[in-house]
Structures are given as C-alpha cells and as structure tokens.
C-alpha cells in the first residue's frame, strides 16, 4: 500500500488511484465494441435516410453483451431506458 502525502499535505493512496484510473483490457475492448455498434447503427440509419442518433439516444445490446454486435441484437433506446436496464441487472447480481 502506497499512502503518501501530496503537495497539499493530503493523504493519498496511489495504488488505489492507479487501479481506478487504468482500466482492465476487458473494459477497453467492451468500450470499443460499443462504439462500433453505434457507428453500425448510424450507418444503417444513413442508408435508409434517417437522421443520426441524437445525444439522448443510445444503442442497446438486447442480450447485454457489448461484444455481440449482430443486427438482431441492437436497438435504439433513450439513455434513461438503457441506464434503468443496466441498474436492474446490476441489482440482481448483488
């Protein structure tokens, strides 16, 4: 455990901060896959003459697997609805 005082005299746990700020490789791959899904949906919408996703819309993975970017698994929902779904799933795990 690396607890030291910073320049302002506050105690800081540098090991804990490093783990918090440097995400595991799995998180990076999941983020990349979600960005790919969003690009895929925007491309599809463009080909059918529909506008791009707005800032209040997001792409939801129906099976909650961010790496499954098949067309049947993606849908456009509001950010609130997607967050509610994620919160329910997280609550079940506890």
């Amino acid at each position: 455990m690396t607890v030291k005082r910073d320049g302002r005299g506050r105690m800081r746990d540098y090991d804990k901060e490093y783990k918090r700020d440097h995400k595991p490789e799995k998180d990076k791959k999941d983020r990349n896959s979600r960005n790919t899904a969003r690009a895929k949906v925007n491309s599809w919408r463009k080909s059918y003459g529909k506008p791009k996703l707005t800032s209040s819309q997001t792409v939801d993975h129906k099976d909650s697997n961010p790496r499954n970017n098949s067309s049947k698994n993606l849908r456009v929902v509001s950010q609130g609805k997607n967050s509610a779904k994620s919160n329910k799933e997280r609550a079940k795990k506890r």
Side-chain angles (χ1 to χ4, degrees):
M1 189 156 131
T2 312
V3 178
K4 295 182 180 178
R5 293 198 181 270
D6 66 3
R8 295 172 135 179
R10 297 175 296 185
M11 296 299 290
R12 294 180 57 187
D13 185 350
Y14 289 104
D15 289 336
K16 185 177 177 182
E17 289 179 26
Y18 184 87
K19 288 176 186 174
R20 180 194 68 212
D21 296 338
H22 293 80
K23 301 290 182 187
E25 201 60 34
K26 178 190 173 292
D27 290 348
K28 291 177 185 177
K29 288 179 180 177
D30 288 350
R31 168 63 61 197
N32 183 33
S33 184
R34 284 191 291 270
N35 288 338
T36 302
R38 187 172 181 88
K40 183 177 183 177
V41 168
N42 275 331
S43 173
W44 180 87
R45 291 174 68 94
K46 184 179 179 181
S47 68
Y48 283 92
K50 296 186 178 194
K52 285 186 172 183
L53 297 175
T54 64
S55 59
S56 64
Q57 294 175 318
T58 190
V59 176
D60 178 39
H61 292 82
K62 293 176 188 175
D63 67 356
S64 300
N65 178 1
R67 296 197 194 164
N68 181 1
N69 287 332
S70 68
S71 298
K72 293 180 181 181
N73 188 45
L74 302 177
R75 65 180 172 185
V76 177
V77 295
S78 69
Q79 286 184 342
K81 192 172 187 178
N82 198 30
S83 294
K85 177 186 167 192
S86 298
N87 290 340
K88 282 182 184 178
E89 290 172 359
R90 215 174 288 121
K92 285 180 185 178
K93 290 181 181 178
R94 289 184 182 177

Coordinates of all heavy atoms in Angstrom, one line a residue:
M1 N 0.8 -1.2 0.0 CA 0.0 0.0 0.0 C 0.9 1.2 0.0 O 1.8 1.4 0.8 CB -0.9 0.0 1.2 CG -1.9 1.0 1.2 SD -3.3 0.5 2.2 CE -3.5 1.9 3.2
T2 N 0.6 2.1 -0.9 CA 1.5 3.3 -1.1 C 0.6 4.5 -0.7 O 0.0 5.2 -1.6 CB 2.0 3.5 -2.5 OG1 2.5 2.2 -2.9 CG2 3.0 4.5 -2.6
V3 N 0.6 4.8 0.6 CA -0.1 6.0 1.0 C 0.9 7.1 1.4 O 1.8 6.9 2.2 CB -1.0 5.7 2.3 CG1 -1.7 6.9 2.8 CG2 -2.0 4.6 1.9
K4 N 0.8 8.2 0.7 CA 1.7 9.3 0.9 C 1.0 10.6 0.9 O -0.2 10.7 0.5 CB 2.8 9.3 -0.2 CG 3.7 8.1 -0.3 CD 4.7 8.3 -1.4 CE 5.6 7.1 -1.5 NZ 6.6 7.2 -2.6
R5 N 1.7 11.6 1.4 CA 1.1 13.0 1.3 C 1.4 13.6 0.0 O 2.5 13.5 -0.5 CB 1.7 13.8 2.5 CG 1.2 13.4 3.8 CD 1.4 14.5 4.9 NE 1.0 14.0 6.2 CZ -0.2 14.1 6.6 NH1 -1.2 14.7 5.9 NH2 -0.5 13.6 7.8
D6 N 0.4 14.3 -0.6 CA 0.7 15.0 -1.8 C 1.2 16.4 -1.5 O 1.5 16.7 -0.4 CB -0.6 15.0 -2.7 CG -1.7 15.9 -2.1 OD1 -1.5 16.5 -1.0 OD2 -2.8 15.9 -2.7
G7 N 1.3 17.2 -2.5 CA 1.9 18.6 -2.4 C 1.1 19.5 -1.4 O 1.6 20.4 -0.9
R8 N -0.2 19.2 -1.3 CA -1.1 20.0 -0.4 C -1.2 19.4 1.0 O -1.9 19.9 1.8 CB -2.5 20.0 -1.0 CG -2.5 20.8 -2.3 CD -3.9 20.6 -2.9 NE -4.4 21.8 -3.4 CZ -5.6 22.0 -3.9 NH1 -6.4 20.9 -4.0 NH2 -6.0 23.1 -4.4
G9 N -0.5 18.3 1.2 CA -0.5 17.7 2.6 C -1.6 16.7 2.8 O -1.8 16.2 3.9
R10 N -2.3 16.3 1.7 CA -3.4 15.4 1.9 C -2.8 13.9 1.7 O -1.9 13.7 1.0 CB -4.5 15.6 0.8 CG -5.2 16.9 0.9 CD -6.1 17.1 -0.3 NE -5.3 17.1 -1.5 CZ -5.8 17.4 -2.7 NH1 -7.0 17.6 -2.9 NH2 -5.0 17.4 -3.8
M11 N -3.4 13.0 2.5 CA -3.0 11.6 2.4 C -3.7 11.0 1.1 O -4.9 11.2 0.9 CB -3.5 10.8 3.6 CG -2.8 11.3 4.9 SD -1.0 11.1 4.9 CE -0.8 9.4 4.9
R12 N -2.9 10.3 0.3 CA -3.4 9.7 -0.9 C -2.9 8.3 -1.1 O -1.7 8.0 -0.8 CB -3.0 10.5 -2.1 CG -3.6 11.9 -2.1 CD -3.2 12.7 -3.3 NE -3.6 12.1 -4.6 CZ -3.2 12.6 -5.8 NH1 -2.5 13.7 -5.8 NH2 -3.5 12.0 -6.9
D13 N -3.8 7.4 -1.5 CA -3.4 6.0 -1.7 C -3.2 5.9 -3.3 O -4.1 5.7 -4.0 CB -4.6 5.1 -1.3 CG -4.2 3.6 -1.4 OD1 -3.2 3.3 -2.0 OD2 -5.0 2.8 -0.9
Y14 N -1.9 6.0 -3.6 CA -1.6 6.0 -5.1 C -1.8 4.7 -5.8 O -2.2 4.6 -6.9 CB -0.1 6.4 -5.2 CG 0.1 7.9 -4.9 CD1 0.7 8.3 -3.8 CD2 -0.3 8.8 -5.8 CE1 0.9 9.6 -3.5 CE2 -0.2 10.2 -5.6 CZ 0.4 10.6 -4.4 OH 0.6 11.9 -4.1
D15 N -1.7 3.5 -5.0 CA -2.0 2.2 -5.7 C -3.5 2.2 -6.0 O -3.9 1.7 -7.1 CB -1.7 1.1 -4.7 CG -0.2 0.9 -4.5 OD1 0.5 1.3 -5.5 OD2 0.2 0.3 -3.5
K16 N -4.4 2.6 -5.1 CA -5.8 2.6 -5.3 C -6.2 3.5 -6.5 O -7.0 3.2 -7.4 CB -6.5 3.0 -4.1 CG -8.0 3.0 -4.2 CD -8.6 3.4 -2.8 CE -10.1 3.4 -2.9 NZ -10.7 3.8 -1.6
E17 N -5.6 4.7 -6.6 CA -5.8 5.6 -7.7 C -5.4 5.0 -9.0 O -6.0 5.2 -10.0 CB -5.1 7.0 -7.4 CG -5.8 7.7 -6.3 CD -5.1 9.1 -6.0 OE1 -4.4 9.6 -6.9 OE2 -5.2 9.5 -4.9
Y18 N -4.3 4.4 -9.0 CA -3.8 3.8 -10.3 C -4.7 2.7 -10.8 O -5.1 2.7 -12.0 CB -2.4 3.1 -10.0 CG -1.8 2.6 -11.3 CD1 -1.0 3.4 -12.1 CD2 -2.0 1.3 -11.7 CE1 -0.5 2.9 -13.3 CE2 -1.5 0.7 -12.8 CZ -0.7 1.6 -13.7 OH -0.2 1.1 -14.8
K19 N -5.2 1.8 -9.9 CA -6.2 0.8 -10.3 C -7.5 1.4 -10.8 O -8.1 0.9 -11.7 CB -6.4 -0.1 -9.1 CG -5.3 -1.1 -8.8 CD -5.5 -1.9 -7.6 CE -4.3 -2.7 -7.2 NZ -4.5 -3.4 -5.9
R20 N -7.9 2.5 -10.2 CA -9.1 3.2 -10.6 C -9.0 3.8 -12.0 O -9.9 3.7 -12.8 CB -9.5 4.2 -9.6 CG -10.8 5.0 -9.9 CD -10.9 6.3 -9.1 NE -9.9 7.2 -9.5 CZ -9.3 8.1 -8.7 NH1 -9.7 8.2 -7.4 NH2 -8.4 8.9 -9.1
D21 N -7.8 4.4 -12.2 CA -7.7 5.2 -13.5 C -7.2 4.3 -14.7 O -7.4 4.7 -15.8 CB -6.7 6.3 -13.2 CG -7.2 7.3 -12.2 OD1 -8.4 7.4 -12.0 OD2 -6.4 8.0 -11.6
H22 N -6.6 3.2 -14.4 CA -6.1 2.3 -15.5 C -7.0 1.1 -15.6 O -6.8 0.1 -14.9 CB -4.6 1.9 -15.3 CG -3.7 3.1 -15.3 ND1 -3.6 4.0 -14.3 CD2 -2.9 3.6 -16.3 CE1 -2.7 4.9 -14.6 NE2 -2.3 4.7 -15.8
K23 N -7.9 1.2 -16.6 CA -9.0 0.2 -16.7 C -8.4 -1.1 -17.3 O -7.4 -1.1 -18.0 CB -10.0 0.7 -17.7 CG -10.7 1.9 -17.2 CD -11.6 1.7 -16.0 CE -12.3 3.0 -15.6 NZ -13.0 2.9 -14.4
P24 N -9.0 -2.2 -16.9 CA -8.5 -3.5 -17.4 C -8.8 -3.6 -19.0 O -9.6 -2.9 -19.5 CB -9.3 -4.5 -16.7 CG -10.2 -3.9 -15.7 CD -10.0 -2.4 -15.9
E25 N -8.1 -4.5 -19.6 CA -8.2 -4.6 -21.0 C -9.6 -5.0 -21.5 O -10.1 -4.6 -22.5 CB -7.2 -5.7 -21.5 CG -6.8 -5.7 -22.9 CD -6.1 -4.3 -23.3 OE1 -5.4 -3.8 -22.5 OE2 -6.4 -3.9 -24.5
K26 N -10.3 -5.8 -20.7 CA -11.7 -6.2 -21.0 C -12.6 -4.9 -21.1 O -13.4 -4.8 -22.1 CB -12.2 -7.1 -19.9 CG -13.7 -7.5 -20.2 CD -14.3 -8.2 -18.9 CE -15.7 -8.4 -19.1 NZ -16.6 -7.3 -19.1
D27 N -12.4 -4.0 -20.2 CA -13.2 -2.7 -20.3 C -12.9 -1.9 -21.5 O -13.8 -1.4 -22.2 CB -13.0 -1.8 -19.1 CG -13.5 -2.4 -17.8 OD1 -14.3 -3.4 -17.9 OD2 -13.2 -1.9 -16.7
K28 N -11.7 -1.9 -21.9 CA -11.3 -1.2 -23.2 C -11.9 -1.9 -24.4 O -12.4 -1.2 -25.3 CB -9.8 -1.2 -23.3 CG -9.1 -0.3 -22.3 CD -7.6 -0.3 -22.4 CE -6.9 0.4 -21.3 NZ -5.4 0.3 -21.5
K29 N -11.9 -3.2 -24.4 CA -12.5 -3.9 -25.6 C -14.0 -3.7 -25.6 O -14.6 -3.6 -26.7 CB -12.1 -5.4 -25.5 CG -10.7 -5.7 -25.8 CD -10.3 -7.1 -25.7 CE -8.8 -7.3 -26.1 NZ -8.4 -8.7 -25.9
D30 N -14.6 -3.7 -24.4 CA -16.1 -3.5 -24.4 C -16.4 -2.1 -24.9 O -17.4 -1.9 -25.6 CB -16.6 -3.7 -23.0 CG -16.6 -5.2 -22.6 OD1 -16.4 -6.1 -23.4 OD2 -16.9 -5.5 -21.4
R31 N -15.7 -1.1 -24.5 CA -15.9 0.3 -24.9 C -15.8 0.4 -26.4 O -16.6 1.0 -27.1 CB -15.0 1.2 -24.2 CG -14.9 2.6 -24.8 CD -16.2 3.4 -24.7 NE -16.6 3.5 -23.3 CZ -17.8 3.9 -22.9 NH1 -18.7 4.1 -23.8 NH2 -18.1 4.0 -21.6
N32 N -14.7 -0.3 -27.0 CA -14.5 -0.2 -28.4 C -15.7 -0.9 -29.2 O -16.1 -0.4 -30.2 CB -13.2 -1.0 -28.7 CG -12.9 -0.9 -30.2 OD1 -13.2 0.1 -30.9 ND2 -12.2 -2.0 -30.7
S33 N -16.2 -2.0 -28.6 CA -17.3 -2.7 -29.3 C -18.6 -1.9 -29.2 O -19.3 -1.8 -30.2 CB -17.5 -4.0 -28.6 OG -18.5 -4.8 -29.2
R34 N -18.8 -1.1 -28.1 CA -20.0 -0.3 -28.0 C -19.9 0.8 -29.1 O -20.9 1.2 -29.7 CB -20.2 0.3 -26.6 CG -20.7 -0.8 -25.7 CD -21.1 -0.2 -24.3 NE -20.0 0.3 -23.6 CZ -19.3 -0.5 -22.7 NH1 -19.7 -1.7 -22.5 NH2 -18.3 0.0 -22.0
N35 N -18.7 1.4 -29.2 CA -18.5 2.5 -30.2 C -18.7 1.9 -31.7 O -19.3 2.6 -32.5 CB -17.1 3.1 -30.1 CG -17.0 3.9 -28.9 OD1 -17.9 4.4 -28.3 ND2 -15.7 4.1 -28.5
T36 N -18.3 0.7 -31.9 CA -18.5 0.1 -33.2 C -20.0 -0.1 -33.4 O -20.5 0.1 -34.6 CB -17.8 -1.3 -33.3 OG1 -16.4 -1.1 -33.0 CG2 -18.0 -2.0 -34.6
A37 N -20.8 -0.5 -32.4 CA -22.2 -0.7 -32.5 C -22.9 0.6 -32.9 O -23.8 0.6 -33.8 CB -22.8 -1.3 -31.3
R38 N -22.5 1.7 -32.2 CA -23.1 3.0 -32.5 C -22.8 3.4 -34.0 O -23.7 3.9 -34.7 CB -22.6 4.0 -31.5 CG -23.2 5.4 -31.7 CD -22.8 6.3 -30.5 NE -23.4 7.5 -30.6 CZ -24.6 7.8 -30.1 NH1 -25.3 6.9 -29.4 NH2 -25.2 9.0 -30.2
A39 N -21.6 3.2 -34.4 CA -21.3 3.5 -35.8 C -22.1 2.6 -36.8 O -22.5 3.1 -37.8 CB -19.8 3.3 -36.1
K40 N -22.3 1.4 -36.5 CA -23.0 0.5 -37.3 C -24.5 1.0 -37.4 O -25.1 1.0 -38.5 CB -23.0 -0.9 -36.7 CG -23.7 -2.0 -37.6 CD -23.5 -3.3 -36.9 CE -24.1 -4.4 -37.8 NZ -23.9 -5.8 -37.2
V41 N -25.1 1.3 -36.3 CA -26.5 1.8 -36.3 C -26.6 3.1 -37.1 O -27.5 3.3 -37.9 CB -27.0 2.0 -34.9 CG1 -28.3 2.7 -34.9 CG2 -27.2 0.6 -34.3
N42 N -25.6 4.0 -36.9 CA -25.7 5.3 -37.6 C -25.5 5.1 -39.1 O -26.2 5.7 -39.9 CB -24.6 6.3 -37.1 CG -25.1 7.1 -35.9 OD1 -26.2 7.3 -35.8 ND2 -24.1 7.4 -35.1
S43 N -24.7 4.1 -39.5 CA -24.5 3.8 -40.9 C -25.8 3.3 -41.5 O -26.2 3.6 -42.6 CB -23.4 2.8 -41.1 OG -23.3 2.4 -42.4
W44 N -26.5 2.4 -40.8 CA -27.7 1.8 -41.2 C -28.8 2.9 -41.4 O -29.5 2.9 -42.4 CB -28.2 0.7 -40.2 CG -29.5 0.1 -40.6 CD1 -29.7 -1.0 -41.4 CD2 -30.8 0.5 -40.2 NE1 -31.0 -1.2 -41.5 CE2 -31.7 -0.3 -40.8 CE3 -31.3 1.6 -39.4 CZ2 -33.1 -0.2 -40.6 CZ3 -32.6 1.7 -39.2 CH2 -33.5 0.8 -39.9
R45 N -28.8 3.8 -40.4 CA -29.9 4.9 -40.4 C -29.6 5.8 -41.6 O -30.5 6.2 -42.3 CB -29.8 5.6 -39.1 CG -30.4 4.8 -37.9 CD -30.2 5.5 -36.6 NE -31.1 6.7 -36.5 CZ -32.3 6.7 -36.0 NH1 -32.8 5.6 -35.5 NH2 -33.0 7.8 -35.9
K46 N -28.3 6.1 -41.9 CA -28.0 6.9 -43.0 C -28.4 6.3 -44.3 O -28.9 7.0 -45.2 CB -26.5 7.2 -43.0 CG -26.0 8.2 -44.1 CD -24.5 8.4 -44.0 CE -24.1 9.3 -45.1 NZ -22.7 9.6 -45.1
S47 N -28.2 5.0 -44.5 CA -28.6 4.3 -45.7 C -30.1 4.3 -46.0 O -30.5 4.2 -47.1 CB -28.0 2.9 -45.7 OG -28.7 2.1 -44.8
Y48 N -30.9 4.4 -44.9 CA -32.3 4.5 -45.0 C -32.9 5.9 -44.9 O -34.1 6.1 -44.8 CB -33.0 3.6 -44.0 CG -32.9 2.1 -44.3 CD1 -31.8 1.3 -43.9 CD2 -33.8 1.5 -45.1 CE1 -31.7 0.0 -44.2 CE2 -33.7 0.2 -45.5 CZ -32.7 -0.6 -45.0 OH -32.6 -1.9 -45.4
G49 N -32.0 6.9 -45.0 CA -32.4 8.3 -45.0 C -32.9 8.8 -43.6 O -33.6 9.8 -43.6
K50 N -32.5 8.1 -42.6 CA -32.9 8.6 -41.2 C -31.8 9.4 -40.6 O -30.6 9.2 -41.0 CB -33.3 7.4 -40.4 CG -34.5 6.6 -40.9 CD -34.8 5.5 -39.9 CE -36.1 4.8 -40.4 NZ -36.7 4.0 -39.4
P51 N -32.1 10.3 -39.7 CA -31.1 11.1 -39.1 C -30.2 10.3 -38.1 O -30.6 9.2 -37.7 CB -31.8 12.2 -38.3 CG -33.2 11.6 -38.0 CD -33.5 10.7 -39.2
K52 N -29.0 10.7 -37.8 CA -28.1 10.1 -36.9 C -28.8 10.0 -35.5 O -29.7 10.8 -35.2 CB -26.8 10.8 -36.8 CG -25.9 10.6 -38.0 CD -24.6 11.3 -37.7 CE -23.5 10.9 -38.7 NZ -22.2 11.5 -38.4
L53 N -28.2 9.2 -34.6 CA -28.7 9.2 -33.3 C -28.5 10.5 -32.6 O -27.5 11.2 -32.8 CB -27.9 8.1 -32.5 CG -28.1 6.7 -32.9 CD1 -27.2 5.8 -32.1 CD2 -29.5 6.2 -32.8
T54 N -29.5 10.9 -31.8 CA -29.3 12.2 -31.1 C -28.5 12.0 -29.8 O -28.2 10.8 -29.4 CB -30.7 12.8 -30.7 OG1 -31.3 11.9 -29.8 CG2 -31.5 13.0 -32.0
S55 N -28.2 13.0 -29.1 CA -27.4 12.9 -27.8 C -28.2 12.2 -26.7 O -27.7 11.6 -25.8 CB -27.0 14.2 -27.3 OG -28.1 15.1 -27.1
S56 N -29.6 12.1 -26.9 CA -30.4 11.5 -25.8 C -30.7 10.0 -26.2 O -31.3 9.3 -25.5 CB -31.7 12.2 -25.6 OG -32.5 12.2 -26.8
Q57 N -30.2 9.5 -27.4 CA -30.4 8.2 -27.8 C -29.1 7.4 -27.7 O -28.0 7.9 -27.8 CB -30.9 8.1 -29.2 CG -32.3 8.7 -29.5 CD -32.6 8.7 -30.9 OE1 -31.8 9.0 -31.8 NE2 -33.9 8.4 -31.2
T58 N -29.3 6.1 -27.5 CA -28.1 5.2 -27.4 C -28.4 3.9 -28.0 O -29.6 3.6 -28.2 CB -27.6 5.1 -26.0 OG1 -26.3 4.4 -26.0 CG2 -28.6 4.3 -25.1
V59 N -27.4 3.1 -28.3 CA -27.6 1.7 -28.8 C -27.6 0.8 -27.6 O -26.7 0.7 -26.8 CB -26.5 1.4 -29.8 CG1 -26.7 -0.1 -30.3 CG2 -26.5 2.3 -31.0
D60 N -28.7 0.0 -27.6 CA -28.8 -1.0 -26.5 C -28.5 -2.4 -27.1 O -29.0 -2.8 -28.2 CB -30.2 -1.0 -25.9 CG -30.4 -2.1 -24.9 OD1 -29.5 -2.3 -24.1 OD2 -31.5 -2.6 -24.8
H61 N -27.7 -3.2 -26.4 CA -27.5 -4.6 -26.7 C -28.5 -5.4 -26.0 O -28.5 -5.4 -24.7 CB -26.1 -5.0 -26.3 CG -25.0 -4.4 -27.1 ND1 -24.6 -3.1 -26.9 CD2 -24.4 -4.8 -28.2 CE1 -23.6 -2.8 -27.7 NE2 -23.5 -3.8 -28.6
K62 N -29.5 -6.0 -26.7 CA -30.6 -6.7 -26.0 C -30.1 -7.8 -25.1 O -30.7 -8.0 -24.0 CB -31.5 -7.4 -27.1 CG -32.2 -6.3 -28.0 CD -33.0 -7.0 -29.1 CE -33.6 -6.0 -30.0 NZ -34.2 -6.7 -31.1
D63 N -29.1 -8.5 -25.4 CA -28.6 -9.6 -24.5 C -27.5 -9.1 -23.5 O -27.0 -9.9 -22.8 CB -28.0 -10.8 -25.3 CG -26.8 -10.4 -26.1 OD1 -26.3 -9.2 -26.1 OD2 -26.2 -11.3 -26.7
S64 N -27.3 -7.8 -23.5 CA -26.4 -7.2 -22.5 C -24.9 -7.6 -22.7 O -24.1 -7.4 -21.8 CB -26.8 -7.5 -21.1 OG -28.1 -7.0 -20.8
N65 N -24.6 -8.1 -23.9 CA -23.2 -8.5 -24.2 C -22.7 -7.4 -25.2 O -23.1 -7.4 -26.3 CB -23.2 -9.9 -24.8 CG -21.8 -10.2 -25.3 OD1 -20.8 -9.5 -25.0 ND2 -21.6 -11.4 -25.8
P66 N -21.8 -6.5 -24.7 CA -21.4 -5.4 -25.6 C -20.6 -5.9 -26.8 O -20.4 -5.1 -27.8 CB -20.6 -4.5 -24.7 CG -20.2 -5.4 -23.6 CD -21.2 -6.4 -23.4
R67 N -20.1 -7.1 -26.8 CA -19.3 -7.6 -28.0 C -20.2 -8.3 -29.0 O -19.7 -8.6 -30.1 CB -18.2 -8.5 -27.5 CG -17.3 -7.7 -26.6 CD -16.0 -8.5 -26.4 NE -15.2 -7.9 -25.3 CZ -14.2 -8.4 -24.8 NH1 -13.8 -9.6 -25.2 NH2 -13.6 -7.9 -23.8
N68 N -21.5 -8.4 -28.8 CA -22.4 -9.1 -29.7 C -23.1 -8.0 -30.5 O -24.1 -7.4 -30.1 CB -23.4 -9.9 -29.0 CG -24.4 -10.6 -29.9 OD1 -24.3 -10.5 -31.2 ND2 -25.3 -11.4 -29.4
N69 N -22.5 -7.6 -31.7 CA -23.0 -6.5 -32.5 C -23.8 -7.0 -33.7 O -23.8 -6.3 -34.7 CB -21.8 -5.6 -32.9 CG -21.3 -4.8 -31.8 OD1 -22.0 -4.5 -30.9 ND2 -20.0 -4.5 -31.9
S70 N -24.4 -8.1 -33.6 CA -25.3 -8.6 -34.7 C -26.5 -7.6 -34.8 O -26.9 -7.1 -33.8 CB -25.7 -10.0 -34.5 OG -26.6 -10.1 -33.4
S71 N -27.0 -7.5 -36.0 CA -28.1 -6.5 -36.2 C -29.3 -6.9 -35.4 O -30.0 -6.0 -34.9 CB -28.5 -6.5 -37.7 OG -27.4 -6.1 -38.5
K72 N -29.6 -8.1 -35.1 CA -30.8 -8.5 -34.4 C -30.6 -8.2 -32.9 O -31.6 -8.2 -32.2 CB -31.0 -10.0 -34.6 CG -31.4 -10.4 -36.0 CD -31.7 -11.8 -36.1 CE -32.1 -12.1 -37.6 NZ -32.4 -13.5 -37.8
N73 N -29.4 -8.0 -32.4 CA -29.1 -7.8 -31.0 C -29.1 -6.3 -30.7 O -29.1 -5.9 -29.5 CB -27.8 -8.4 -30.6 CG -27.6 -8.4 -29.1 OD1 -28.5 -8.7 -28.4 ND2 -26.4 -8.0 -28.7
L74 N -29.1 -5.4 -31.7 CA -29.0 -4.0 -31.4 C -30.4 -3.3 -31.6 O -31.2 -3.6 -32.4 CB -28.0 -3.3 -32.4 CG -26.6 -3.9 -32.4 CD1 -25.8 -3.2 -33.5 CD2 -26.0 -3.7 -31.0
R75 N -30.6 -2.3 -30.7 CA -31.8 -1.5 -30.9 C -31.5 -0.1 -30.3 O -30.6 0.1 -29.5 CB -33.0 -2.1 -30.1 CG -32.8 -2.1 -28.6 CD -34.0 -2.7 -27.9 NE -33.7 -2.9 -26.5 CZ -34.5 -3.5 -25.7 NH1 -35.6 -4.0 -26.1 NH2 -34.1 -3.7 -24.4
V76 N -32.3 0.9 -30.8 CA -32.1 2.3 -30.4 C -33.1 2.6 -29.2 O -34.3 2.4 -29.4 CB -32.3 3.3 -31.5 CG1 -32.2 4.7 -31.1 CG2 -31.3 3.0 -32.6
V77 N -32.5 3.1 -28.1 CA -33.4 3.4 -27.0 C -32.9 4.7 -26.4 O -31.8 5.2 -26.7 CB -33.4 2.3 -25.9 CG1 -34.0 1.1 -26.4 CG2 -32.0 2.1 -25.3
S78 N -33.7 5.3 -25.5 CA -33.2 6.5 -24.8 C -32.2 6.1 -23.8 O -32.1 5.0 -23.3 CB -34.4 7.2 -24.1 OG -34.9 6.4 -23.0
Q79 N -31.3 7.1 -23.4 CA -30.3 6.8 -22.4 C -30.9 6.4 -21.1 O -30.3 5.6 -20.4 CB -29.4 8.0 -22.3 CG -28.4 8.2 -23.4 CD -27.5 9.3 -23.2 OE1 -27.6 10.2 -22.4 NE2 -26.4 9.3 -24.1
G80 N -32.0 7.0 -20.7 CA -32.6 6.7 -19.4 C -33.1 5.3 -19.4 O -32.9 4.6 -18.4
K81 N -33.7 4.8 -20.4 CA -34.2 3.5 -20.5 C -33.0 2.5 -20.4 O -33.1 1.4 -19.8 CB -35.0 3.3 -21.8 CG -35.8 2.0 -21.8 CD -36.7 2.0 -23.1 CE -37.6 0.8 -23.0 NZ -38.5 0.8 -24.2
N82 N -32.0 2.8 -21.1 CA -30.8 1.9 -21.1 C -30.1 1.9 -19.8 O -29.7 0.8 -19.3 CB -29.8 2.4 -22.2 CG -28.8 1.3 -22.5 OD1 -29.1 0.1 -22.5 ND2 -27.6 1.7 -22.9
S83 N -30.1 3.0 -19.1 CA -29.5 3.1 -17.7 C -30.3 2.3 -16.8 O -29.8 1.6 -15.9 CB -29.4 4.5 -17.3 OG -28.4 5.2 -18.0
A84 N -31.7 2.4 -16.9 CA -32.6 1.7 -16.0 C -32.4 0.2 -16.1 O -32.3 -0.6 -15.2 CB -34.0 2.0 -16.3
K85 N -32.2 -0.3 -17.4 CA -32.0 -1.7 -17.7 C -30.7 -2.2 -17.0 O -30.6 -3.2 -16.3 CB -31.9 -2.0 -19.2 CG -31.6 -3.4 -19.5 CD -31.4 -3.5 -21.0 CE -30.8 -4.9 -21.4 NZ -30.3 -5.0 -22.7
S86 N -29.6 -1.4 -17.1 CA -28.3 -1.7 -16.6 C -28.4 -1.7 -15.0 O -27.8 -2.6 -14.4 CB -27.3 -0.7 -17.0 OG -27.1 -0.7 -18.4
N87 N -29.1 -0.8 -14.4 CA -29.2 -0.7 -13.0 C -30.0 -2.0 -12.5 O -29.6 -2.5 -11.4 CB -29.9 0.6 -12.6 CG -29.1 1.8 -12.8 OD1 -27.9 1.7 -12.9 ND2 -29.7 2.9 -12.9
K88 N -31.0 -2.4 -13.2 CA -31.8 -3.6 -12.7 C -30.9 -4.8 -12.8 O -30.9 -5.6 -11.8 CB -33.0 -3.8 -13.7 CG -34.1 -2.9 -13.4 CD -35.3 -3.3 -14.3 CE -36.5 -2.3 -14.1 NZ -37.6 -2.6 -15.0
E89 N -30.1 -4.9 -13.8 CA -29.2 -6.1 -14.0 C -28.1 -6.1 -12.9 O -27.8 -7.1 -12.3 CB -28.5 -6.1 -15.3 CG -29.5 -6.4 -16.4 CD -28.9 -6.3 -17.8 OE1 -27.7 -5.9 -17.9 OE2 -29.6 -6.5 -18.8
R90 N -27.6 -4.9 -12.6 CA -26.6 -4.8 -11.5 C -27.2 -5.1 -10.2 O -26.5 -5.7 -9.3 CB -26.0 -3.3 -11.5 CG -24.6 -3.3 -11.2 CD -24.0 -1.9 -11.4 NE -23.9 -1.5 -12.7 CZ -24.4 -0.4 -13.3 NH1 -25.1 0.4 -12.5 NH2 -24.3 -0.1 -14.5
A91 N -28.4 -4.7 -9.9 CA -29.1 -5.0 -8.6 C -29.3 -6.5 -8.5 O -29.2 -7.0 -7.3 CB -30.4 -4.3 -8.5
K92 N -29.6 -7.2 -9.5 CA -29.8 -8.7 -9.5 C -28.5 -9.4 -9.1 O -28.5 -10.4 -8.4 CB -30.2 -9.2 -10.8 CG -31.7 -8.9 -11.1 CD -32.0 -9.5 -12.5 CE -33.4 -9.1 -12.9 NZ -33.8 -9.6 -14.3
K93 N -27.3 -8.9 -9.5 CA -26.1 -9.5 -9.2 C -25.7 -9.5 -7.7 O -24.9 -10.2 -7.2 CB -24.9 -8.9 -10.0 CG -25.0 -9.2 -11.5 CD -23.9 -8.6 -12.3 CE -24.0 -8.9 -13.7 NZ -22.9 -8.3 -14.5
R94 N -26.2 -8.5 -7.0 CA -25.9 -8.3 -5.6 C -26.5 -9.3 -4.7 O -27.3 -10.1 -4.7 CB -26.3 -6.9 -5.1 CG -25.4 -5.9 -5.7 CD -25.7 -4.6 -5.2 NE -24.8 -3.6 -5.9 CZ -24.9 -2.3 -5.6 NH1 -25.8 -1.8 -4.8 NH2 -24.1 -1.5 -6.2

